[in-house]
């Protein structure tokens, strides 16, 4: 086989793989849209775990649906809580996400036994995130609860994540 034919064949393979990945990505995006993050936790469950008043959850419809749409709650006077659920993209694992966060200088720490694999990330300003993978699902709880110690926030996040995992 000459070089020209090899290059043509390689180009066809690249195009075919691109099409497969595009359709796989669209299927994953459609699956992510089917999961309503606001059905995973109730206002009462969040209030019980955080010990503060919590508003009704609202789906963030401005969020990119390919990434996932979080359900957002106001905590107390000026705190925040959200939960996002999506289908993990090909190659998106707890290890790859944690490595990318570390590369971006975001602190990452161990979490308890939640889901298949979980870890905490701390983007700053007292905010914590519990990243959890279970099967093909990737869930993130993000919270900023003024006046609540970090250890207590992490424990509450793990408790709430375990509850959410029973519903997805």
């Amino acid at each position: 086989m000459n070089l020209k034919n090899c290059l043509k064949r390689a180009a066809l393979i690249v195009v075919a793989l691109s099409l497969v990945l595009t359709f796989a990505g669209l299927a994953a995006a459609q699956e992510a849209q089917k999961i309503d993050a606001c059905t995973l936790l109730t206002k009462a469950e969040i209030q019980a775990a955080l010990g503060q008043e919590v508003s009704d959850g609202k789906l963030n419809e401005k969020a990119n649906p390919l990434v996932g749409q979080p359900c957002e709650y106001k905590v107390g006077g000026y705190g925040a809580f959200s939960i996002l659920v999506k289908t993990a993209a090909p190659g998106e694992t707890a290890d790859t996400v944690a490595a990318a966060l570390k590369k971006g200088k975001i602190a990452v720490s161990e979490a308890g036994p939640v889901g298949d694999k979980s870890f905490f990330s701390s983007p700053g300003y007292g905010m914590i995130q519990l990243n959890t993978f279970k099967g093909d699902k990737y869930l993130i709880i993000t919270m900023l609860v003024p006046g609540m110690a970090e250890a207590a926030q992490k424990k509450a996040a793990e408790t709430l994540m375990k509850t959410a995992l029973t519903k997805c």
Side-chain angles (χ1 to χ4, degrees):
M1 188 181 299
N2 65 32
L3 181 60
K4 189 174 183 178
N5 286 339
C6 281
L7 290 175
K8 283 182 183 179
R9 182 170 281 177
L12 286 173
I13 291 171
V14 168
V15 169
L17 285 173
S18 295
L19 288 172
V20 167
L21 292 175
T22 297
F23 288 116
L26 290 173
Q30 289 172 346
E31 174 66 22
Q33 291 174 343
K34 293 178 187 176
I35 302 169
D36 181 354
C38 289
T39 64
L40 299 178
L41 295 169
T42 67
K43 175 181 169 178
E45 289 166 335
I46 298 167
Q47 283 181 181
L50 301 182
Q52 295 189 30
E53 287 295 315
V54 175
S55 70
D56 290 330
K58 293 181 184 176
L59 197 62
N60 182 340
E61 295 181 6
K62 293 179 182 178
N64 182 344
L66 295 176
V67 175
Q69 295 177 304
C71 187
E72 300 172 338
Y73 303 80
K74 183 178 175 189
V75 178
Y78 53 95
F81 178 94
S82 71
I83 183 165
L84 176 132
V85 59
K86 67 180 202 122
T87 301
E92 187 174 37
T93 66
D95 293 335
T96 60
V97 172
L101 290 170
K102 288 177 187 177
K103 186 175 180 181
K105 306 284 190 233
I106 294 175
V108 173
S109 60
E110 295 293 320
V114 181
D116 296 334
K117 189 160 187 184
S118 294
F119 64 90
F120 285 104
S121 58
S122 301
Y125 304 102
M127 183 183 303
I128 65 145
Q129 293 181 314
L130 177 57
N131 297 262
T132 298
F133 288 79
K134 174 136 185 179
D136 67 343
K137 302 292 183 264
Y138 176 22
L139 293 86
I140 305 171
I141 286 179
T142 302
M143 54 198 296
L144 174 63
V145 185
M148 188 175 191
E150 182 178 328
Q153 287 187 66
K154 287 181 174 182
K155 182 176 180 178
E158 288 179 348
T159 298
L160 290 167
M161 186 64 81
K162 288 175 184 176
T163 300
L165 289 172
T166 66
K167 299 176 187 175
C168 67

